Amino acid sequence: MALQSPKNFSTQKTRIKLVLGIIIFFFFCLSLHLFNLQVIQGSREGEKVYANTSQNVDILLPRRGTIYDRSGKVLAQSVDCYRVDIRPAEIKPENRPDVASKLSQILRIPEEKILELFAKYYEPFPLDRQIDSEMADKVKSLSLPGVDILPSEKRVYPYGALAAHILGFVHPDFGFNGREELFGLEGIEAAFESTLHGNPGVVVQYFSPIGEKLPIPPSQMQPVENGKDIVLTIDTTIQNITETALEKAVQEKKARSGCAIVFDVKSGEILALASFPDFDPNNWSSVKKEDLQNVATQFSYEPGSAIKFVVGAAALEEGVVEPDTIVEDDGPIVIDGNIFSCPSEFGGPHGKQNLYQLFKNSCNVGFIKLGQMLGIDRMYKYFKLFGFGSPSNFELPASLGKITPQDEWSKSDLAAVSFGYGLEVTPLQLASAFQIISNDGKYVPLHIVKEIRENGKAIESFDFTFTKQVISKRTALQLREALKGPVEGKVPQGLDQYGVFGKTGTARAWKDGQYTDLNNTTFVGAFPIDNPRIGILVNINEPQVEFAYAVRVCVPVFMEIAAKIVDIMRFPLP
């Protein structure tokens, strides 16, 4: 093997170094170029991308809260549905008959009506706000121009007309950022709108100039807050019993309207509140305006003799009479030129009577004399103490009623209010006042909301066990014993062993500035008498039958409801 000369070896080594240097220099230049592309120019291109993106604000609509009865039965809830929106400008005139025909077959809307809407509107409009997924899929499959399917929300009332005046209803309207939402119009739906509605969420997304969604995290986001749930004090079973009995009575007596309230006298919880005529909140748009009135809370009227338990309570509490005090009805009384009497058709004049007999006979002259013993100041004081003419904190819209200011009362006014004329009350106010008598003189506000829940947990509860002592327990006990008189011989077998007490009221209906020949009738009572638990008020207005008095019209309804409640609640025998 021949050896290389030192000169050749040196040349080869130099060549290797030169090649390696060239390779290193090449990779260095390539790295610089890549750095320039990826970092420097890439940053500039990214800035251009951000600069050319568009922002789209997506509104996340909240789910409306659910309304439950006291045992957890759903009375009102929201379910997913879909809305059909039309963009008339994108439907060519020659294509409109075909589009209308296809939509008509699926949505069951007359083709002629759809064509009228196409012609009437240029801006987008909702054709049908609430369709199910099956119908939505059918419309989507047609790929009709100018027809959009959007997610929506539908309010469902599973029990139909049951508790309609309590629940109310909702209607769709435009809320946050022009998005259509559900808003309460009547009842609990309206009174607790802010609680049930919730707050919408906001998501800001980025899109490229050609409308493609970019993988850029949202720069702003407000989480959606769903509406809170409401639990009512209502018992669905008792509500159904009450509504059935009320509707039957109103229809049989050919009355204009009526209501019934069932309440726990200790807690003030309303177990049923019925008003008739009623309506179906699932289809409220076809309801007459007058049928939307909640008779129990919004109808004010002269109660007649039903108010006499307040006069009796005041007289006992102030010590002007005792249960055995004799008050004589010896015929008509003339006060300021006005004649007051107990007509012979009601057994008058009634002669000498103790308190029990005064209530049993519902003697106008006797109660006028109690009012005179009390005087204007004390009489007015007790009407206010029992809540008449004053605003309440009841959860549903309620009338104030009407009571003349004290300084405007005359002797004749004092006589009139002593037997229930010259003032206006609502059935709710009358029931609330009777709660005091039934609860040993202690006032607890009647209420219809039990608690508010969020994510299944109670965040606010309404538990009223005691607020104030209006009259003494002694007075309440004496009065309850006297109030057995109006129902003597009228309590059906089975219920009579518990003991019922209460007061009837029949008063001429006032209309167009004068009294009519029709009556407004009321009975309010409670049971068991030794330890009252349940109070019931029944009010039926303008019954058009012979002998249209409360004892014939309202008392039987009370007894029917009470007897069934005893069975449901399994009251122990006294």
Side-chain angles (χ1 to χ4, degrees):
M1 179 178 177
L3 298 173
Q4 292 182 343
S5 67
K7 181 178 180 181
N8 292 337
F9 183 80
S10 176
T11 301
Q12 187 179 12
K13 188 175 181 180
T14 300
R15 288 174 179 172
I16 292 172
K17 289 181 179 180
L18 179 61
V19 171
L20 289 173
I22 292 171
I23 292 172
I24 292 171
F25 179 75
F26 172 78
F27 277 104
F28 176 75
C29 292
L30 181 61
S31 297
L32 286 175
H33 181 64
L34 291 173
F35 178 80
N36 179 60
L37 288 174
Q38 294 181 355
V39 179
I40 299 175
Q41 293 188 37
S43 177
R44 292 172 182 170
E45 291 300 319
E47 291 174 2
K48 289 180 182 179
V49 169
Y50 273 90
N52 288 289
T53 58
S54 60
Q55 293 183 358
N56 181 62
V57 177
D58 190 15
I59 306 301
L60 306 176
L61 296 182
R63 172 59 63 91
R64 192 172 182 83
T66 300
I67 303 176
Y68 300 93
D69 85 335
R70 64 186 300 113
S71 63
K73 295 177 182 176
V74 174
L75 300 177
Q77 66 179 348
S78 293
V79 297
D80 293 329
C81 64
Y82 296 88
R83 195 175 87 226
V84 181
D85 275 15
I86 303 297
R87 289 174 278 114
E90 298 185 27
I91 306 175
K92 295 179 180 180
E94 60 269 25
N95 292 336
R96 290 186 175 185
D98 180 60
V99 172
S101 175
K102 291 177 178 177
L103 289 175
S104 175
Q105 294 175 29
I106 298 173
L107 303 179
R108 295 187 287 275
I109 300 174
E111 184 177 340
E112 299 76 17
K113 182 176 180 180
I114 297 176
L115 287 172
E116 288 177 7
L117 294 172
F118 284 174
K120 182 179 180 180
Y121 295 104
Y122 180 79
E123 296 293 328
F125 67 90
L127 178 62
D128 196 326
R129 285 187 165 95
Q130 297 177 343
I131 65 172
D132 57 33
S133 58
E134 183 179 352
M135 296 173 72
D137 290 340
K138 288 180 179 179
V139 175
K140 284 181 183 178
S141 67
L142 297 175
S143 300
L144 297 172
V147 179
D148 296 323
I149 300 295
L150 301 174
S152 187
E153 182 182 9
K154 180 179 182 180
R155 199 66 166 168
V156 176
Y157 302 89
Y159 292 93
L162 188 77
H165 288 92
I166 300 172
L167 300 171
F169 49 84
V170 300
H171 75 120
D173 205 345
F174 293 100
F176 186 80
N177 202 36
R179 294 292 293 272
E180 193 174 72
E181 302 176 50
L182 297 178
F183 295 89
L185 267 187
E186 297 284 344
I188 291 293
E189 295 277 26
F192 285 79
E193 167 61 27
S194 59
T195 301
L196 290 164
H197 189 277
N199 296 307
V202 179
V203 177
V204 180
Q205 298 285 358
Y206 294 97
F207 293 81
S208 72
I210 61 174
E212 294 177 336
K213 187 175 180 180
L214 297 174
I216 302 171
S219 60
Q220 301 177 44
M221 183 172 180
Q222 176 180 313
V224 64
E225 295 179 16
N226 289 325
K228 298 175 180 64
D229 300 329
I230 292 179
V231 180
L232 302 180
T233 60
I234 295 299
D235 182 295
T236 303
T237 302
I238 296 177
Q239 179 73 26
N240 184 54
I241 289 170
T242 304
E243 289 190 13
T244 301
L246 176 68
E247 180 178 354
K248 177 184 175 184
V250 171
Q251 293 180 339
E252 285 184 349
K253 305 302 182 184
K254 302 175 184 177
R256 180 173 65 85
S257 65
C259 71
I261 306 171
V262 180
F263 54 97
D264 185 317
V265 303
K266 304 296 185 185
S267 67
E269 292 184 342
I270 291 180
L271 304 178
L273 188 149
S275 181
F276 192 83
D278 59 7
F279 62 93
D280 185 351
N282 292 297
N283 187 29
W284 62 268
S285 59
S286 61
V287 179
K288 297 177 183 178
K289 184 177 180 180
E290 55 268 27
D291 292 348
L292 295 176
Q293 183 190 47
N294 189 337
V295 178
T297 64
Q298 296 174 308
F299 173 65
S300 59
Y301 67 112
E302 291 177 304
S305 296
I307 205 72
K308 289 175 180 175
F309 70 84
V310 178
V311 181
L316 287 168
E317 187 73 4
E318 291 295 322
V320 300
V321 294
E322 291 294 329
D324 57 356
T325 299
I326 298 300
V327 179
E328 186 173 4
D329 169 16
D330 50 2
I333 298 178
V334 180
I335 302 174
D336 294 338
N338 297 301
I339 301 175
F340 300 94
S341 66
C342 287
S344 57
E345 63 182 296
F346 297 118
H350 293 105
K352 296 179 179 180
Q353 307 159 94
N354 60 23
L355 194 63
Y356 181 95
Q357 293 167 327
L358 274 176
F359 277 109
K360 181 180 179 180
N361 296 327
S362 196
C363 179
N364 292 343
V365 171
F367 279 93
I368 289 172
K369 289 186 175 182
L370 290 185
Q372 291 174 328
M373 294 178 195
L374 285 163
I376 291 175
D377 290 349
R378 288 191 291 188
M379 181 75 93
Y380 185 85
K381 167 190 169 183
Y382 278 90
F383 273 103
K384 298 301 288 186
L385 277 175
F386 275 84
F388 297 107
S390 302
S392 68
N393 293 320
F394 193 65
E395 298 93 334
L396 298 176
S399 171
L400 287 177
K402 184 179 179 181
I403 183 168
T404 304
Q406 180 181 348
D407 57 4
E408 297 179 19
W409 278 28
S410 66
K411 292 180 180 179
S412 184
D413 292 328
L414 175 63
V417 299
S418 297
F419 64 101
Y421 282 86
L423 78 163
E424 293 182 5
V425 306
T426 66
L428 178 71
Q429 287 177 327
L430 204 56
S432 180
F434 202 80
Q435 177 274 327
I436 295 170
I437 305 299
S438 308
N439 193 29
D440 295 339
K442 293 178 286 189
Y443 167 72
V444 177
L446 297 188
H447 58 285
I448 207 163
V449 175
K450 191 173 184 65
E451 62 185 27
I452 296 173
R453 292 178 181 173
E454 186 173 25
N455 298 322
K457 296 182 179 179
I459 60 172
E460 188 173 1
S461 296
F462 302 90
D463 180 19
F464 302 98
T465 54
F466 174 74
T467 53
K468 63 180 179 181
Q469 191 83 32
V470 177
I471 57 174
S472 68
K473 181 177 180 180
R474 177 177 180 271
T475 293
L477 291 173
Q478 291 175 334
L479 190 59
R480 293 208 299 258
E481 193 65 27
L483 285 170
K484 289 165 59 178
V487 293
E488 185 180 293
K490 301 175 181 68
V491 184
Q493 188 176 5
L495 188 59
D496 59 351
Q497 57 193 326
Y498 294 97
V500 176
F501 60 98
K503 186 68 192 77
T504 54
T506 302
R508 290 294 185 187
W510 178 269
K511 188 175 182 180
D512 299 327
Q514 62 183 355
Y515 287 107
T516 70
D517 292 331
L518 299 173
N519 296 330
N520 291 329
T521 63
T522 308
F523 178 73
V524 58
F527 65 94
I529 192 167
D530 292 333
N531 183 25
R533 288 275 311 280
I534 300 296
I536 304 174
L537 177 141
V538 178
N539 161 243
I540 297 179
N541 302 302
E542 301 180 18
Q544 298 184 52
V545 292
E546 191 176 8
F547 305 115
Y549 306 123
V551 68
R552 290 175 176 263
V553 176
C554 297
V555 171
V557 182
F558 174 100
M559 298 302 172
E560 179 182 348
I561 296 170
K564 290 181 179 179
I565 289 176
V566 166
D567 288 340
I568 291 170
M569 301 184 73
R570 298 180 181 177
F571 272 43
L573 291 173

